Amino acid sequence: MTDPTVAAGTSSSRGSVSTGGAPGDVVGVALVPGLPHLLADDPAPSWTALADATRTVGERICAASPDAVVLLSTQWFTVLGHQFQHDPNPRGTYVDENWYAYDYGHLRYDYPVDVDLIERWATGTERAGMQARLTRYDGFPIDTGTIVAGQLLDPDGRLAVAQVSCNLYAPAETMTRLAELGVEAAGHLGRRVVVVAVSGLSSGLIQRWITPDEDRILSAEHDRWNTRMLDLLTAGDVEAALAQRAAYAEAAAVDAQGRALAFLAGAGLDGVRADVVAYGPIWGTGGAVVWWQP
Amino acid sequence: MARSVRSVRPMSYVFRMPPATGAVTGAPDSSPAVDRQTAGQERGEPEQRDGRGEIVAGYLAPHPPHLVYAENPPQNEPRSQGGWEILRWAYEEARRRLKERHRPDVIIVHAPHWITMVGHHVNCVPNPRGTSVEPIFPHLLRYHYDFHTDVELAEAIVDEADAAGLVARRMTEPGVRVDYATIGALHLLNPDWDIPVVSLSANNNPYYYASAGLDDMETLGVATRRAIERTGRRAVLAASNSLSHLHWDTEPELPEDMAAEHPYNNHQYRWDMRLLEAVRAGRTKQLRTLIPEHIAQTEGEIKSGSLSWMLSAMGWPEVPGDVLGYWTVIGTGNAVVEWEPMRTDRSATPAAHATGTQR
Ligand SMILES: [Fe+2]
């Protein structure tokens, strides 16, 4: 067992220390789904469309040749401080506790972590008055969303990842700040990065075992809200989307209350029009693949 | 230390005995349960359909990993200086009663951190074993587990749940990591792990895709009781839940620094006491309405349904619960409580009237 080097202290007073960050070079921003159905041998049409769209975004990322991916997955959720994955090479298998009975419930992962970027990001987070902790343990369970997104965006596992957990008790503004700090840390190191959030939209699950062809967004209201938010992103109005985040979360049971969008906003999306590459249901939830080219 | 999370509305974690699968080890046919059955039916308690299976006790058994961490058991890798002694001493008393008085064939646990998105799942793996590195608290819980499932009872619960109209599934994949709420409650009740186990998932929770309501959990409780009766088990139930559940979003450098430990706020504390006073007074049926109120007021972890499942399985017995201990963990309220549904000689505590918060 490797013991972690804990970069954390105890301070939680916020924002009093400048991080003095360089702006960082963001060459792409993406939102992708994290449910494993996208890897199904027998997929629903929307699962195929979402998987293909995620691969398309992966090709765009590859074309931009970033040094690292600054990553958030809402399925690695935490409640105390912010954890940063510090294992240089997470690899193993994961059996999903929900979908184990399906082919897509058994997942393999093997990818590099940008340890320097992680350490810089965690230190910057601490300096900014937030609690940060490096996470490096044998057998640590990498979440399904991270694995699914990795397999579709970067099937060969070549891209170095810098991932922070999704604190479900942290305000959305903190998630924005975390992404800003990640980009700043990359800037300090001269890294070109893409910023990716793995998250669903509405999270109303169909509460029975369905066949793939039965899949649809759980409710018309969820569908309307998802579409309204995607339209705002397409128009380049992230500010308006964030202003409606709380209402959206309440009305459509949004995955992690929309913290993924708040995180992506920290990559600098003001006025940048989104390309909604695909949108559709995953077991009743809303899934979208969205790409921004800053 | 704390930042307010009021604006955040959480959506809606090696030791063995010989396998006892299918065995009825503690419920002889001439069991006093037959006599208790007749008396129990007169009191409106669960029907003992075959006169053998019975629930001898139910525990509210909170699972914060801090409690396991504080115990420094050999199964857990991290080491602590202790902490949260009041709760751990409460568990010590629960362990004594479990071994000396209840002597169950099986402990059945319902836990909110095996979060299932579709349906109620029951672990039917005969011998779950592995290391559970907890993704939320990896610095506190890296636990080596190795225990035995009462597979016959586990499958019977799935069948009864299915017959009751619930979506239910047998989980037979040994690779699924056992969560910390299952490990926490079971370790704290029985660190020897020498009693077979049945572990149920939570198809509802305060953290993530929430779906099933408390009504479903009550149905699951009835199904659990039927399965216990049908298989003739002498069972102890464990509802692996904290009470009030707003908490800090950072922690002290030393996690077991007890100078940092106190209720998140007085509102949460008062609501925990309101619930526990009803428990101590034996006003169990009142809990059916009080539990949803408590959840609304405190983001209570009992939203996951473990407590409702257990009380329903026991038939909402109008007997006082014995509060063995209460304290906070990172600001959340936690109580170790024992109910003995067949026991009517335990008198209700008058303290409910003394504190002035009786409703
Ligand atoms: Fe919990």
Side-chain angles (χ1 to χ4, degrees):
Chain A
M1 174 59 58
T2 311
D3 240 22
T5 304
V6 178
T10 56
S11 168
S12 61
S13 59
R14 299 182 58 201
S16 58
V17 181
S18 168
T19 57
D25 191 0
V26 177
V27 296
V29 178
L31 171 70
V32 299
L35 287 176
H37 306 68
L38 271 54
L39 303 175
D41 289 342
D42 177 23
S46 69
W47 307 352
T48 301
L50 289 164
D52 288 346
T54 308
R55 289 188 190 95
T56 297
V57 165
E59 288 162 10
R60 293 177 188 176
I61 289 173
C62 186
S65 49
D67 299 308
V69 177
V70 171
L71 181 69
L72 174 86
S73 168
T74 55
Q75 290 181 62
W76 180 19
F77 61 87
T78 55
V79 299
L80 294 175
H82 308 285
Q83 296 185 35
F84 294 81
Q85 182 53 254
H86 192 236
D87 185 334
N89 178 208
R91 61 184 152 175
T93 57
Y94 187 73
V95 184
D96 187 279
E97 62 271 32
N98 292 279
W99 311 105
Y100 53 81
Y102 298 89
D103 57 283
Y104 49 81
H106 297 252
L107 305 164
R108 288 183 170 278
Y109 57 94
D110 182 353
Y111 60 91
V113 162
D114 188 335
V115 170
D116 291 342
L117 177 52
I118 277 294
E119 290 175 356
R120 188 93 196 196
W121 189 6
T123 301
T125 298
E126 190 72 12
R127 284 183 183 154
M130 293 181 273
Q131 192 169 56
R133 177 178 292 122
L134 298 178
T135 298
R136 182 173 180 174
Y137 300 102
D138 292 342
F140 183 89
I142 300 299
D143 68 281
T144 294
T146 295
I147 300 170
V148 171
Q151 288 196 11
L152 293 168
L153 291 172
D154 178 31
D156 297 328
R158 290 181 183 150
L159 283 171
V161 171
Q163 182 175 10
V164 69
S165 68
C166 182
N167 186 329
L168 291 181
Y169 280 73
E173 298 74 26
T174 298
M175 304 309 295
T176 302
R177 185 71 188 121
L178 271 177
E180 290 171 352
L181 291 163
V183 171
E184 287 176 15
H188 277 296
L189 295 170
R191 302 278 204 275
R192 304 171 76 246
V193 294
V194 293
V195 179
V196 175
V198 185
S199 174
L201 303 179
S202 62
S203 72
L205 281 136
I206 297 171
Q207 282 300 305
R208 60 188 175 84
W209 307 112
I210 59 172
T211 56
D213 61 311
E214 294 178 283
D215 202 358
R216 52 193 48 81
I217 302 287
L218 183 68
S219 81
E221 189 189 11
H222 287 188
D223 195 21
R224 272 195 301 276
W225 263 107
N226 292 337
T227 305
R228 181 187 308 171
M229 296 297 277
L230 291 172
D231 286 348
L232 287 172
L233 299 179
T234 303
D237 200 347
V238 171
E239 197 174 336
L242 284 175
Q244 296 197 41
R245 183 195 59 81
Y248 175 42
E250 184 78 22
V254 176
D255 188 346
Q257 294 90 33
R259 284 181 173 76
L261 179 61
F263 181 80
L264 293 178
L269 296 179
D270 287 345
V272 183
R273 298 172 74 91
D275 175 13
V276 178
V277 189
Y279 164 67
I282 310 173
W283 213 285
T285 71
V289 178
V290 185
W291 171 255
W292 290 263
Q293 187 79 55
Chain B
M1 175 180 175
R3 289 204 296 273
S4 172
V5 293
R6 282 235 164 260
S7 61
V8 179
R9 296 195 57 86
M11 276 166 67
S12 335
Y13 328 100
V14 194
F15 305 110
R16 70 179 75 174
M17 67 176 297
T21 302
V24 180
T25 57
D29 288 343
S30 58
S31 162
V34 176
D35 293 331
R36 286 196 292 270
Q37 174 192 0
T38 308
Q41 285 171 357
E42 287 171 0
R43 293 192 301 269
E45 289 174 2
E47 175 194 1
Q48 296 291 314
R49 293 191 300 184
D50 63 6
R52 294 191 302 148
E54 63 178 349
I55 298 167
V56 292
Y59 284 92
L60 179 60
H63 57 256
H66 308 69
L67 302 181
V68 175
Y69 165 72
E71 298 259 303
N72 290 314
Q75 298 100 324
N76 198 30
E77 292 181 8
R79 282 290 166 261
S80 75
Q81 299 174 12
W84 301 279
E85 276 76 8
I86 299 298
L87 282 167
R88 295 196 289 115
W89 294 340
Y91 266 115
E92 283 182 9
E93 174 60 13
R95 287 171 202 166
R96 188 189 66 75
R97 296 182 185 187
L98 196 77
K99 288 287 177 74
E100 295 180 8
R101 189 153 83 219
H102 305 316
R103 299 185 304 278
D105 302 323
V106 61
I107 303 173
I108 310 174
V109 62
H110 185 279
H113 297 294
W114 180 12
I115 300 169
T116 48
M117 298 182 185
V118 180
H120 308 269
H121 299 223
V122 182
N123 190 334
C124 294
V125 176
N127 176 203
R129 58 187 150 175
T131 303
S132 189
V133 177
E134 168 43 47
I136 297 181
F137 302 105
H139 58 307
L140 303 182
L141 198 83
R142 303 189 299 278
Y143 190 97
H144 299 267
Y145 60 91
D146 183 347
F147 61 89
H148 289 280
T149 298
D150 182 339
V151 176
E152 182 190 355
L153 175 59
E155 293 178 344
I157 292 172
V158 176
D159 293 345
E160 292 287 353
D162 190 58
L166 297 176
V167 176
R169 172 157 273 177
R170 300 176 186 195
M171 199 287 282
T172 58
E173 284 289 342
V176 170
R177 180 181 63 89
V178 176
D179 66 282
Y180 77 86
T182 300
I183 288 172
L186 291 172
H187 173 92
L188 291 161
L189 283 172
N190 180 31
D192 296 335
W193 293 91
D194 57 357
I195 301 168
V197 165
V198 174
S199 147
L200 279 64
S201 78
N203 184 213
N204 194 6
N205 64 88
Y207 313 100
Y208 204 55
Y209 300 117
S211 48
L214 294 180
D215 289 352
D216 276 6
M217 299 307 174
E218 292 192 30
T219 304
L220 184 65
V222 173
T224 302
R225 182 176 78 220
R226 288 190 177 132
I228 292 165
E229 291 166 355
R230 178 152 67 84
T231 55
R233 298 297 194 270
R234 180 179 172 87
V236 162
L237 307 186
S240 178
N241 274 166
S242 298
L243 296 177
S244 61
H245 211 246
L246 290 177
H247 60 69
W248 321 128
D249 65 356
T250 58
E251 71 177 0
E253 188 167 11
L254 182 71
E256 61 269 38
D257 181 352
M258 291 295 100
E261 195 58 81
H262 58 87
Y264 184 84
N265 60 36
N266 194 45
H267 181 77
Q268 291 216 108
Y269 178 80
R270 293 313 322 166
W271 268 95
D272 284 350
M273 292 307 111
R274 182 174 289 188
L275 191 83
L276 290 175
E277 284 175 354
V279 166
R280 298 178 77 219
R283 299 196 302 268
T284 312
K285 289 189 168 57
Q286 185 194 340
L287 292 175
R288 291 180 93 152
T289 53
L290 198 50
I291 286 171
E293 288 181 68
H294 178 274
I295 293 167
Q297 291 291 332
T298 72
E299 302 287 353
E301 197 183 38
I302 50 179
K303 183 175 188 292
S304 70
S306 306
L307 180 59
S308 299
W309 160 80
M310 180 173 75
L311 292 172
S312 172
M314 295 192 295
W316 300 90
E318 290 279 298
V319 298
D322 191 2
V323 179
L324 301 178
Y326 173 90
W327 208 20
T328 62
V329 179
I330 60 171
T332 66
N334 294 270
V336 180
V337 183
E338 178 201 67
W339 284 266
E340 291 179 286
M342 302 295 186
R343 183 170 175 183
T344 55
D345 60 338
R346 184 179 279 162
S347 57
T349 173
H353 305 282
T355 61
T357 55
Q358 185 188 2
R359 301 177 74 243

